[in-house]
Amino acid sequence: MQRRTFLKTAFASSAMLTTTPFVQTLFASPTNRLHAQKTSLNLVPGGSATDVWSFQKNSFSPVLVAEQGEELSVSVKNDVDKEMTVHWHGLRVPNEMDGVPHLTQEPILRGESFRYQFASHDAGTYWYHPHTNSAEQVGRGLVGALIIKEPKDYPVDADQTIVVKDWRLNRRFQISNSFKSWHDMSHAGRWGNLVTANGIYRPTFSFPPHSRVRLRIINSCAARDFVPNFSEFDHATLIAIDGHPVPPQPYRPWLIGPGMRIDVVVDVPAQRKPLRVLDQTNGLFSSEMTSHLFSIQPEGSAIRASRLKDSPPALPENPLAKPDLNLAKVHQIVLSGGMMMGVSNIMRGVFWSINGVSMTEVSSYKKPIVSLKKNQSYIFQIVNDTGFAHPIHFHGHTFQVLSASQKYLGENYWSDTIFLSPFGRADVAFVADNEGLWAFHCHVLGHLSGMMGVIEVA
């Protein structure tokens, strides 16, 4: 392999980073190959092993790393029982590399492989997952992080990727097979009863006192959203949302829906007790098993005499085309469905629609719900006409969030996934600069029972 920084793991981007022993074994060896297979993990230290699916044996969420602008080449082999593809969530890739079955590629059958090749245009925190039978394959553990590094190292002492995922387990610590539950598909999706960070229930990440740490938090859940709370930290700064820089600002509660990410810089104090990061979501499914996400433990010798007093600097902007709001054409996107879809649709397991069109994840291609002209600016007015939340993800593009009716979100930031609260609305703007047929769908994966459409850029 001749490239200077091809694909490698991001477990320890700093030599002084330490973690508790049960975290150290979770990440993959340096590789440009992903191998979807059955394996097992001890999700709860000391508990029974859980049979899972992973992209590497005996590990969870291989973390791939590349330099911004680097050409990536990743071979994916499928050795699970179901056909699959891999989607590179948040990356602006060529259409044929987007990993949507029957739209951009044919599924990878068991025993077969497929090579994905694309350039890494945008630095930031991204992730990858299957896009065939996603509710099951993500639910069983097939997820991974993809970190695109900025041209210059960001000035922190450690850079830690944290992939949050929930699991629905039975009493034997095995994954429940209820992936086709009509209740889940027609309501809030499949929520788990155990939440892990990097494949471990309530892990503790240890760093030296007075160190400055960049935390890249990825929500890889099939349906659950989080509002991480950093109130136990004296200083926490939000520097990026969904991979893209924002002006550094004191962290306030921020909602991370399925597929969404945030980068937060924390200053580790000199105290010796662990600092917890809790989920402050007051949802129907919150419980003692799901509210504590992870902890930061000051450990070892202090890296400096006192904590850093300056604020973390801004990240460099990514090369995104800025939409012209004065010339932008406006399209309304209406999300509908639930148990009101009608008996004939419900009997087929179809519960949702976008602009009146119901397309499932494994459907063959259907007529685009919207056709766009390449390099034209657009505004999507997205209206949620349902009583459930929908994080809407747009493939192949990054949009500017103009407004969102969700108290834990902001405005004027760049994203690929926007959270629509029940009966809420969001306005997003973008330049349609990536030609092809692109998926546009809800990232509550059970809602792919209809809430998926195709947007054409031609």
Side-chain angles (χ1 to χ4, degrees):
M1 200 175 303
Q2 298 178 350
R3 298 183 182 92
R4 180 170 63 89
T5 55
F6 206 96
L7 292 177
K8 48 192 176 291
T9 60
F11 170 61
S13 63
S14 172
M16 45 135 261
L17 174 63
T18 61
T19 61
T20 49
F22 58 81
V23 177
Q24 289 181 349
T25 61
L26 292 176
F27 295 96
S29 303
T31 182
N32 65 332
R33 297 179 183 274
L34 298 175
H35 185 182
Q37 60 192 284
K38 296 181 179 180
T39 186
S40 62
L41 295 174
N42 286 92
L43 301 174
V44 178
S48 301
T50 301
D51 294 331
V52 303
W53 294 359
S54 177
F55 284 109
Q56 189 175 27
K57 189 174 181 63
N58 299 327
S59 70
F60 171 76
S61 179
V63 183
L64 306 179
V65 181
E67 301 279 355
Q68 185 175 13
E70 184 178 7
E71 188 77 17
L72 282 75
S73 178
V74 187
S75 175
V76 178
K77 183 176 181 180
N78 177 18
D79 264 335
V80 298
D81 295 337
K82 306 290 180 66
E83 63 185 24
M84 67 175 299
T85 61
V86 173
H87 168 59
W88 312 94
H89 186 114
L91 293 184
R92 298 183 293 138
V93 301
N95 193 243
E96 64 271 17
M97 295 289 110
D98 195 45
V100 179
H102 309 298
L103 184 66
T104 68
Q105 72 172 95
E106 288 305 306
I108 309 168
L109 303 180
R110 182 175 183 179
E112 295 185 351
S113 299
F114 185 88
R115 182 170 294 278
Y116 294 90
Q117 293 181 290
F118 50 87
S120 51
H121 300 295
D122 303 322
T125 303
Y126 306 96
W127 68 299
Y128 59 91
H129 61 84
H131 221 291
T132 304
N133 297 310
S134 298
E136 177 177 4
Q137 296 191 18
V138 170
R140 293 192 183 278
L142 281 173
V143 301
L146 175 54
I147 306 303
I148 308 299
K149 296 179 65 177
E150 293 85 18
K152 294 183 179 180
D153 288 340
Y154 189 71
V156 290
D157 300 305
D159 190 322
Q160 178 69 55
T161 300
I162 299 177
V163 182
V164 179
K165 180 170 178 359
D166 66 344
W167 311 79
R168 182 178 292 185
L169 304 180
N170 59 30
R171 294 181 181 273
R172 299 185 302 279
F173 275 79
Q174 298 307 309
I175 295 174
S176 167
N177 292 322
S178 58
F179 295 103
K180 295 294 184 181
S181 163
W182 281 14
H183 180 275
D184 291 346
M185 290 191 293
S186 63
H187 288 74
R190 178 185 167 99
W191 286 51
N193 51 13
L194 179 77
V195 172
T196 62
N198 290 356
I200 290 291
Y201 174 59
R202 294 184 178 178
T204 298
F205 301 93
S206 298
F207 305 95
H210 296 155
S211 59
R212 176 165 282 181
V213 181
R214 178 178 182 174
L215 303 176
R216 302 173 184 262
I217 304 174
I218 301 170
N219 183 350
S220 69
C221 298
R224 180 186 295 273
D225 51 87
F226 299 96
V227 179
N229 187 313
F230 285 85
S231 61
E232 295 190 7
F233 293 77
D234 291 334
H235 300 89
T237 304
L238 181 69
I239 63 168
I241 299 169
D242 293 335
H244 297 278
V246 295
Q249 54 200 270
Y251 179 84
R252 63 174 177 80
W254 188 270
L255 187 144
I256 314 176
M260 299 167 72
R261 299 86 64 204
I262 56 173
D263 287 33
V264 178
V265 173
V266 297
D267 290 309
V268 179
Q271 70 185 54
R272 296 299 174 176
K273 69 176 183 179
L275 296 93
R276 299 173 302 167
V277 176
L278 305 176
D279 172 30
Q280 73 174 55
T281 305
N282 296 315
L284 176 64
F285 302 98
S286 61
S287 70
E288 181 68 16
M289 294 289 284
T290 61
S291 61
H292 182 170
L293 301 178
F294 59 90
S295 295
I296 300 295
Q297 174 68 61
E299 185 173 279
S301 300
I303 194 170
R304 49 182 62 90
S306 61
R307 73 169 183 85
L308 294 172
K309 303 298 184 182
D310 60 324
S311 298
L315 291 162
E317 291 188 5
N318 283 320
L320 300 171
K322 306 297 192 293
D324 186 331
L325 301 184
N326 294 319
L327 298 178
K329 296 183 178 180
V330 179
H331 290 276
Q332 188 173 82
I333 309 291
V334 180
L335 315 176
S336 304
M339 290 302 294
M340 307 303 293
M341 281 293 288
V343 175
S344 61
N345 284 326
I346 290 174
M347 292 302 293
R348 296 187 294 114
V350 176
F351 298 94
W352 307 95
S353 68
I354 301 179
N355 282 4
V357 177
S358 294
M359 176 178 171
T360 64
E361 182 183 23
V362 294
S363 298
S364 58
Y365 165 68
K366 289 193 174 183
K367 182 179 178 181
I369 56 173
V370 178
S371 293
L372 308 179
K373 183 178 179 180
K374 189 175 180 181
N375 295 326
Q376 169 72 46
S377 294
Y378 291 92
I379 295 174
F380 279 2
Q381 298 174 338
I382 310 173
V383 179
N384 182 5
D385 197 24
T386 82
F388 293 92
H390 302 289
I392 297 298
H393 176 48
F394 187 15
H395 287 216
H397 292 79
T398 301
F399 49 71
Q400 184 179 10
V401 178
L402 303 179
S403 65
S405 57
Q406 165 56 251
K407 67 177 181 179
Y408 291 127
L409 293 180
E411 298 177 352
N412 295 320
Y413 64 94
W414 294 92
S415 177
D416 51 76
T417 308
I418 181 66
F419 191 93
L420 276 295
S421 56
F423 300 108
R425 169 177 170 153
D427 291 354
V428 302
F430 62 97
V431 177
D433 57 358
N434 202 352
E435 189 172 343
L437 299 170
W438 299 102
F440 183 92
H441 65 89
C442 179
H443 224 280
V444 173
L445 299 179
H447 291 178
L448 291 177
S449 54
M451 194 170 284
M452 179 170 175
V454 173
I455 291 179
E456 179 183 36
V457 178

